[in-house]
Amino acid sequence: MTPRKIIIDTDPGQDDAAAIMLALASPELEVLGITAVAGNVPLALTARNAGMITEICGRDDVPVFAGADIPLKRKLVTAEHVHGKTGLDGVELFEPARPLETVHAVDFIIETLRNEPEGTVTLCALGPLTNIASVFERVPGVVTRVREIVLMGGGFFEGGNITPSAEFNIYVDPEAADIVFRSGVPITMMPLDVTHKVLTTRARVDRLRANGNHPSVVMADMLEFYERFDEQKYGTDGGPLHDPTVIAWLLDPDMFKGRRCNVEIETGSDLTLGATVVDWWKVAGRTENAFVVKDVDSDRFFDLFIERLGRL
């Protein structure tokens, strides 16, 4: 089977690192490039972190491109309180041997969509949607060339995690999210409602560490740092492993359940800025524009995640 071509747009982040590792460990996927965006930490760090993760995985053949350093219309909000000041606190960090590409991330996405056959490239969005929205605004004609966008962002029954109503990725750049959700591209959305069911319990992290290979051990160290914030916040054994759900969807969609809905992004209210208004019960009469995932077989997810990282 021909591997599915993907671009990973990301702001690493320990859970972003987990998603990148899962993708690089999966022969069903061809990672054409990784594009960094400011989000969990500023762009200089997210771009460095992406390169570091590829090197840890022995995949420095995958190019990394730096993209937007600020949201479209707002000041950057970051999440060092969750991920640490580097974005990947919990492990020893280093400068990647392969330098960043000189091409801007937005230009790379545009040229890739133009050069690859129409409908073959999936955009995997793990952070704020600034880069992808910038692509669609700059060259509207490439919108129809995208196969699908699979993104981690938003919430509905679970509310938000940065404000009572907004999830972090959408909150950082709600205008970008609004552009993407109005684009007409097929969207699969992994909100907090599903990611909060994928918990890095002690038993699961121990299983990951028992793989024994370097990437698995590094990821286990990252998760032990990362989960402390959510354990204190939610009172759970482990924290949500948000971003790898995007990659898991591409590998085994049958482990997930959801439905097609209309999703609108709040960009005007100070109180609910960045909220994803999901018409789950189909009461608004608006056109469906996303497949919204709500449930996951978490054991099946972690069986896949742990097995694949053991291959790196």
Side-chain angles (χ1 to χ4, degrees):
M1 185 176 69
T2 303
R4 182 169 182 159
K5 296 177 181 180
I6 68 171
I7 294 172
I8 300 176
D9 191 62
T10 181
D11 62 336
Q14 291 89 351
D15 58 326
D16 303 74
I20 294 168
M21 285 187 177
L22 180 58
L24 294 178
S26 298
E28 302 95 326
L29 304 175
E30 180 185 356
V31 183
L32 301 177
I34 297 173
T35 53
V37 64
N40 285 321
V41 288
L43 179 66
L45 295 177
T46 62
R48 188 278 309 271
N49 291 349
M52 188 173 65
I53 296 157
T54 63
E55 190 167 323
I56 289 170
C57 294
R59 289 296 307 277
D60 57 4
D61 59 303
V62 177
V64 177
F65 303 82
D69 60 353
I70 55 173
L72 294 181
K73 296 183 179 181
R74 298 179 185 273
K75 293 182 179 180
L76 178 65
V77 176
T78 55
E80 287 90 349
H81 61 291
V82 178
H83 299 275
K85 60 180 173 45
T86 68
L88 292 181
D89 280 19
V91 296
E92 186 175 347
L93 304 181
F94 58 89
E95 288 298 322
R98 176 172 177 166
L100 290 171
E101 303 301 309
T102 57
V103 175
H104 192 279
V106 171
D107 295 320
F108 166 72
I109 296 172
I110 290 169
E111 290 308 308
T112 302
L113 291 173
R114 283 172 166 167
N115 293 333
E116 295 291 339
E118 183 171 347
T120 62
V121 177
T122 296
L123 304 180
C124 298
L126 313 181
L129 293 165
T130 315
N131 284 338
I132 296 174
S134 298
V135 168
F136 292 173
E137 282 206 307
R138 186 182 302 177
V139 187
V142 303
V143 169
T144 60
R145 303 190 66 83
V146 179
R147 175 174 176 176
E148 181 184 11
I149 296 171
V150 186
L151 64 89
M152 188 277 131
F156 48 111
F157 297 120
E158 279 287 304
N161 63 356
I162 187 69
T163 73
S165 59
E167 179 275 331
F168 178 81
N169 287 342
I170 305 298
Y171 179 80
V172 170
D173 199 341
E175 285 79 16
D178 185 54
I179 290 168
V180 169
F181 275 88
R182 293 180 185 276
S183 68
V185 174
I187 292 173
T188 297
M189 171 180 166
M190 295 288 172
L192 298 177
D193 302 83
V194 67
T195 67
H196 280 182
K197 297 172 182 174
V198 181
L199 296 178
T200 57
T201 64
R202 167 53 53 192
R204 288 166 173 166
V205 175
D206 287 347
R207 283 177 56 203
L208 175 63
R209 187 180 296 280
N211 278 342
N213 61 323
H214 181 57
S216 294
V217 172
V218 169
M219 180 50 55
D221 288 342
M222 286 186 190
L223 293 179
E224 287 184 347
F225 174 87
Y226 169 66
E227 67 190 6
R228 95 241 176 266
F229 176 82
D230 286 321
E231 286 179 334
Q232 294 170 4
K233 181 177 180 180
Y234 298 114
T236 53
D237 176 11
L241 195 56
H242 305 283
D243 291 331
T245 58
V246 167
I247 305 302
W249 166 263
L250 300 179
L251 300 174
D252 185 5
D254 289 341
M255 75 170 73
F256 297 95
K257 293 181 180 178
R259 64 174 67 167
R260 287 195 55 77
C261 300
N262 175 267
V263 181
E264 302 288 338
I265 310 299
E266 178 57 64
T267 60
S269 167
D270 291 337
L271 184 63
T272 59
L273 181 68
T276 44
V277 182
V278 177
D279 187 13
W280 184 258
W281 302 116
K282 303 183 187 300
V283 296
R286 294 190 291 263
T287 303
E288 298 167 355
N289 60 349
F291 184 84
V292 181
V293 180
K294 187 174 183 288
D295 291 302
V296 61
D297 182 336
S298 62
D299 288 333
R300 186 166 163 179
F301 170 90
F302 275 100
D303 286 346
L304 173 69
F305 180 71
I306 294 167
E307 185 272 331
R308 289 299 174 91
L309 263 63
R311 298 182 183 187
L312 288 169

